[in-house]
C-alpha cells in the first residue's frame, strides 16, 4: 500500500515530476489553477496561483524556469517572479479542448495531448503534439483523441507510449529519436489488461511502464511486452500520475484527485487528492529537461 506524502486535497492533482537538482516534486491541481512544489527532505511546501488551469509541465535547463502546458497553450514560467512568457496557443479553433498529459522525449522535446471537455460521450477531436527545440509546434500523426494520457518514452527513446483514456487501451509506436518520426502504431496493453482507466504513466530504468488506474485505486507495472508485472494499491480511488523521485530515484510518487467523488466516497477515502509515495528496489529515470529556448 502506498502511503500519504502530501495531504494536498487537490481537486485534480496531476502532472507530477521530480526536480533532481532542487530535490523537490512539482505537480499541478488542474482545477485549482495552481502549481505545487514539495521538498520531501525538509517538508517545504510551496504553491503558485496561475491565471488559468495548468495541465502538465517540464523542467528546463534554467533551474528557475518551467515549461507549462496551460489549458489554452504553452508558456515558460519564472518561479521567482511568477512571470509567464507565452509560447503559443493550442487548438484555439476547438473551444471544448484543453491541454492534458505531457512529457519530454529523450531529446528534450515536449510531447503532449489534449482533453475534450464536452459532455460524455467525448468525441476524439483533439490531437497529440510536439513542441520542438526551436519552439515550433507540430501535430503528431497518432489520430484523434478525447482524453490524452500515458505519454512516456522507453529508455532508449525509440518507443512512445500514449493513450486515449476513454478507450482504456494503452498504445505505443516506433519513435525516431533523431527525426521524431512515428510509425508502426499498435496496442501495448489491452483495455481489459487491468482495472480502471489508464491515466498518467512513467517508465522505469528497466523499461517497464507504470500506469495509474483511474477509478481502481491502483498503479500497475507493465512489462515491455504489455503483460502485468505487479500492482500497487493506494487509499484513493482516482490516482492520476506517477513519477520516480528521491536521491536514488527509487521512490514512486503518485498524485490523485477528488473531482467527481460523492460525499460517501470521500468519507471512505479521505486521503484522496493527496500525493502518495512508496520506496521501491526499482529505480526510475531522471526527468529529461525541455531543451528549447528563446533565440
Amino acid at each position: 500500500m502506498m502511503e500519504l506524502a502530501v495531504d494536498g486535497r487537490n481537486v485534480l492533482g496531476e502532472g507530477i515530476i521530480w526536480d533532481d537538482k532542487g530535490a523537490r516534486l512539482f505537480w499541478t491541481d488542474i482545477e485549482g489553477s495552481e502549481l505545487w512544489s514539495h521538498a520531501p527532505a525538509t517538508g517545504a511546501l510551496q504553491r503558485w496561483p496561475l491565471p488559468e488551469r495548468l495541465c502538465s509541465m517540464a523542467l528546463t535547463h534554467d533551474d528557475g524556469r518551467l515549461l507549462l502546458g496551460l489549458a489554452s497553450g504553452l508558456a515558460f514560467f519564472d518561479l521567482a517572479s511568477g512571470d509567464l512568457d507565452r509560447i503559443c496557443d493550442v487548438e484555439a479553433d476547438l473551444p471544448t479542448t484543453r491541454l492534458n498529459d505531457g512529457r519530454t522525449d529523450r531529446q528534450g522535446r515536449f510531447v503532449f495531448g489534449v482533453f475534450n471537455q464536452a459532455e460524455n460521450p467525448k468525441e476524439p477531436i483533439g490531437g497529440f503534439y510536439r513542441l520542438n527545440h526551436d519552439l515550433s509546434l507540430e501535430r503528431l500523426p497518432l489520430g484523434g483523441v478525447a482524453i490524452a494520457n500515458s505519454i512516456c518514452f522507453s529508455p532508449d527513446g525509440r518507443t512512445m507510449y500514449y493513450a486515449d483514456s476513454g478507450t482504456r487501451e494503452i498504445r505505443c509506436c516506433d519513435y525516431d529519436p533523431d527525426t521524431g518520426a512515428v510509425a508502426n502504431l499498435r496496442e501495448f496493453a489491452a483495455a481489459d489488461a487491468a482495472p480502471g482507466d489508464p491515466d498518467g504513466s512513467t517508465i522505469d530504468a528497466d523499461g517497464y511502464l507504470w500506469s495509474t488506474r483511474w477509478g481502481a485505486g491502483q498503479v500497475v507495472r507493465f512489462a515491455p511486452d504489455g503483460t502485468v508485472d505487479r500492482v500497487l494499491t493506494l487509499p484513493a480511488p482516482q490516482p492520476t500520475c506517477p513519477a520516480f523521485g528521491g536521491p536514488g530515484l527509487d521512490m514512486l510518487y503518485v498524485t490523485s484527485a477528488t473531482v467527481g467523488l460523492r460525499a460517501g466516497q470521500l468519507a471512505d477515502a479521505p486521503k484522496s487528492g493527496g500525493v502518495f509515495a512508496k520506496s521501491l528496489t526499482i529505480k526510475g529515470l531522471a526527468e529529461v529537461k525541455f531543451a528549447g529556448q528563446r533565440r
Side-chain angles (χ1 to χ4, degrees):
M1 176 73 73
M2 301 192 72
E3 300 295 331
L4 185 67
V6 181
D7 189 11
R9 309 291 174 93
N10 295 156
V11 178
L12 185 52
E14 266 284 9
I16 193 165
I17 57 174
W18 174 255
D19 171 17
D20 53 349
K21 188 168 184 179
R24 58 184 169 174
L25 297 160
F26 287 108
W27 74 95
T28 174
D29 183 352
I30 295 179
E31 295 305 319
S33 299
E34 287 185 326
L35 169 67
W36 288 58
S37 171
H38 171 67
T42 64
L45 187 67
Q46 192 170 358
R47 296 156 69 175
W48 292 262
L50 295 166
E52 63 175 304
R53 289 169 294 172
L54 170 61
C55 308
S56 53
M57 71 196 79
L59 304 173
T60 74
H61 289 283
D62 180 344
D63 296 330
R65 187 169 68 162
L66 297 177
L67 172 68
L68 301 187
L70 299 165
S72 64
L74 299 160
F76 289 118
F77 179 67
D78 188 286
L79 291 164
S81 68
D83 291 340
L84 282 169
D85 177 10
R86 189 80 173 188
I87 298 170
C88 64
D89 294 340
V90 177
E91 294 193 347
D93 58 327
L94 296 175
T96 66
T97 64
R98 66 159 170 82
L99 268 68
N100 206 48
D101 191 50
R103 191 174 295 273
T104 47
D105 65 16
R106 299 298 172 200
Q107 288 68 45
R109 298 166 291 203
F110 189 61
V111 180
F112 64 94
V114 305
F115 177 93
N116 184 359
Q117 304 170 91
E119 295 295 324
N120 293 329
K122 299 180 186 298
E123 297 296 324
I125 60 173
F128 290 92
Y129 296 85
R130 179 169 54 217
L131 183 67
N132 294 310
H133 297 156
D134 63 358
L135 304 187
S136 63
L137 184 69
E138 63 176 306
R139 181 164 177 163
L140 299 178
L142 299 175
V145 64
I147 309 173
N149 267 313
S150 294
I151 298 170
C152 54
F153 296 86
S154 60
D156 65 3
R158 295 186 176 277
T159 302
M160 173 182 167
Y161 300 88
Y162 61 100
D164 186 336
S165 292
T167 70
R168 302 192 60 241
E169 173 192 47
I170 300 176
R171 297 184 59 77
C172 65
C173 63
D174 296 343
Y175 188 91
D176 190 304
D178 297 317
T179 67
V182 301
N184 190 23
L185 281 60
R186 58 198 184 273
E187 181 182 82
F188 171 70
D192 60 356
D197 300 335
D199 204 315
S201 293
T202 193
I203 296 290
D204 65 28
D206 297 322
Y208 286 59
L209 182 146
W210 295 77
S211 168
T212 48
R213 310 300 297 189
W214 177 276
Q218 294 183 355
V219 186
V220 176
R221 187 190 195 218
F222 288 99
D225 64 0
T227 58
V228 174
D229 174 73
R230 69 179 64 186
V231 177
L232 300 180
T233 60
L234 62 160
Q238 296 179 163
T240 55
C241 190
F244 281 92
L249 291 174
D250 55 359
M251 183 72 73
L252 184 69
Y253 293 97
V254 174
T255 47
S256 65
T258 61
V259 64
L261 294 179
R262 299 184 299 274
Q265 292 173 301
L266 283 170
D268 291 338
K271 297 177 181 178
S272 291
V275 175
F276 296 85
K278 186 173 180 62
S279 178
L280 300 171
T281 58
I282 297 162
K283 292 182 180 293
L285 296 166
E287 288 287 337
V288 180
K289 296 179 179 180
F290 177 64
Q293 56 185 335
R294 295 286 188 194
R295 294 190 180 278

